[in-house]
Amino acid sequence: MNFGARVLKTGLAVTLALYLATLLKFPSPTGAGIAAIFALQPSIYRSWRHFVDQIQTSTIGAVMALLGGMLLSNQPIAVGIVCILVIMLSMKMNRADTIGLTLVTVISVMDASGQWEFALNRFLLLMTGVVSSFVINILVFPPKPRKQYINQIENVFSSLSLLLRTAVSHEMKESVFRDEKNALEGSIRSLADKYALFEEEQKQLRKPKYSETRQMVVYKNLLSSLQKGYEVLDAIDRHYFQAERSVETNAVFDRHLELLIKYHEHILLKFQDKIKPGISETGPLGDDNDSFLESVVQGNKHGNASRLRLAVVAGAVYDYGYQLERLDRVADQINRGSEEKDKL
């Protein structure tokens, strides 16, 4: 059972919404609590955007429900028709994430046969819940997705390095390997969602700062490197053990994977500024990566099917190494920029 900041904030948002609804003497405070649950977002920007979007769609929904209640009464088929119209309109406005609360407003207003006093009351009740969630999200453990992203990068790399080091040697139990690999896939997907959040926030800035643009390049390359490492694991799982291979082939793969893992680890230390200036430069990987691919493709004397399978795995490993070289160049550029800034 996980107890984190989001769980705590959800409980606090519901509590605040119910208290405010009671103080404002709404007849049924429950709606405010429901709205607070739906409105909690992973970042302050998304909370604000959800707040604005919810006001728009809930206003439109309440107006349509008023008209529907007055013209069509509160029969189930009339409620269903208005809900369909509201969903279509919300989708047209690209406000799909607000549909749930908007439909709650529509159904509540139409249940009262289109009474405008009840419609206004219900609208204010839902806005109380949305505002409560927004306030709690800002004041209590405000989201720090960038710091969480970096910490998660380190944790994901630790899992990736363990799996890559034991993938070819086949030392880990298959059931444990499957569980760890599935957990790694979920963690990388979570990182991709966080990166999408950063990208979304930056697009809202008319003129993002150079430092913010550079930071996005770093985040993207860090994520891409982990994704390429996972693709190596997936290729090994799908093809490597189904192919005929010699002891020398196993040694070649194992040795090169160990080289890439150490290279990846060294690059992450560069980003963390933990490497001494005199030894911050890693050796060039390009020749080693090329010779690895050539040795696998040309040195395998087994059947055609085995050669193809091993070539697929070698291609994934080569691609991982190529991505690491790009990440290394980004790290060197940032370090040089920091040194020049310190001199100035």
Side-chain angles (χ1 to χ4, degrees), residues 191-203:
L191 278 173
D193 292 339
K194 283 186 173 66
Y195 176 79
L197 181 63
F198 302 149
E199 197 173 38
E200 179 185 51
E201 289 180 355
Q202 190 182 45
K203 287 180 179 179

Side-chain angles (χ1 to χ4, degrees), residues 19-211:
Y19 270 123
L20 288 177
T22 303
L23 289 175
L24 295 173
K25 297 181 180 180
F26 286 113
S28 178
T30 306
I34 296 173
I37 295 173
F38 279 97
L40 197 65
Q41 299 295 315
S43 71
I44 294 176
Y45 164 74
R46 279 201 177 179
S47 294
W48 170 250
R49 195 190 71 178
H50 183 83
F51 173 68
V52 174
D53 292 348
Q54 192 66 64
I55 290 178
Q56 295 175 358
T57 56
S58 293
T59 302
I60 294 173
V63 171
M64 293 182 67
L66 273 172
L67 296 175
M70 290 186 294
L71 299 177
L72 304 174
S73 75
N74 60 354
Q75 294 298 316
I77 188 170
V79 176
I81 291 173
V82 175
C83 285
I84 291 173
L85 294 176
V86 169
I87 291 173
M88 292 173 62
L89 187 59
S90 298
M91 296 292 288
K92 185 71 175 178
M93 296 171 60
N94 293 322
R95 302 289 188 269
D97 55 339
T98 65
I99 289 176
L101 280 179
T102 304
L103 292 183
V104 171
T105 304
V106 170
I107 295 172
S108 301
V109 172
M110 291 199 69
D111 185 55
S113 298
Q115 299 177 15
W116 72 268
E117 298 93 343
F118 185 84
L120 179 61
N121 181 279
R122 180 60 56 178
F123 175 79
L124 294 177
L125 179 66
L126 292 179
M127 288 302 104
T128 300
V130 174
V131 170
S132 299
S133 182
F134 181 67
V135 170
I136 291 295
N137 207 23
I138 294 176
L139 298 180
V140 181
F141 301 119
K144 298 179 180 179
R146 298 179 188 275
K147 184 178 180 180
Q148 295 170 357
Y149 187 86
I150 297 301
N151 293 335
Q152 194 172 349
I153 285 284
E154 298 173 7
N155 295 332
V156 171
F157 172 72
S158 297
S159 301
L160 176 65
S161 63
L162 173 64
L163 292 174
L164 284 176
R165 281 189 166 102
T166 57
V168 174
S169 59
H170 211 47
E171 297 170 343
M172 191 177 290
K173 292 181 179 179
E174 290 187 7
S175 58
V176 177
F177 181 85
R178 295 284 182 185
D179 292 341
E180 292 291 333
K181 182 171 174 283
N182 291 335
L184 177 64
E185 183 182 14
S187 299
I188 293 177
R189 192 182 300 116
S190 174
L191 278 173
D193 292 339
K194 283 186 173 66
Y195 176 79
L197 181 63
F198 302 149
E199 197 173 38
E200 179 185 51
E201 289 180 355
Q202 190 182 45
K203 287 180 179 179
Q204 303 304 316
L205 301 175
R206 293 182 178 179
K207 293 182 179 180
K209 297 179 181 178
Y210 171 74
S211 59

Side-chain angles (χ1 to χ4, degrees), residues 2 39 54 62 72 100 145 153 181 183 192 254 256 294 297 301 322 336 338 343:
N2 294 326
Q54 192 66 64
L72 304 174
I153 285 284
K181 182 171 174 283
D254 205 21
H256 194 65
E294 291 174 1
V297 174
K301 304 302 181 183
Y322 177 76
R336 283 195 295 270
S338 299
K343 290 178 182 178

Side-chain angles (χ1 to χ4, degrees), residues 233-253:
L233 278 177
D234 199 43
I236 291 174
D237 191 29
R238 291 173 180 271
H239 300 287
Y240 190 78
F241 297 105
Q242 288 76 14
E244 297 180 29
R245 61 203 184 280
S246 62
V247 176
E248 291 78 9
T249 301
N250 291 337
V252 168
F253 272 93

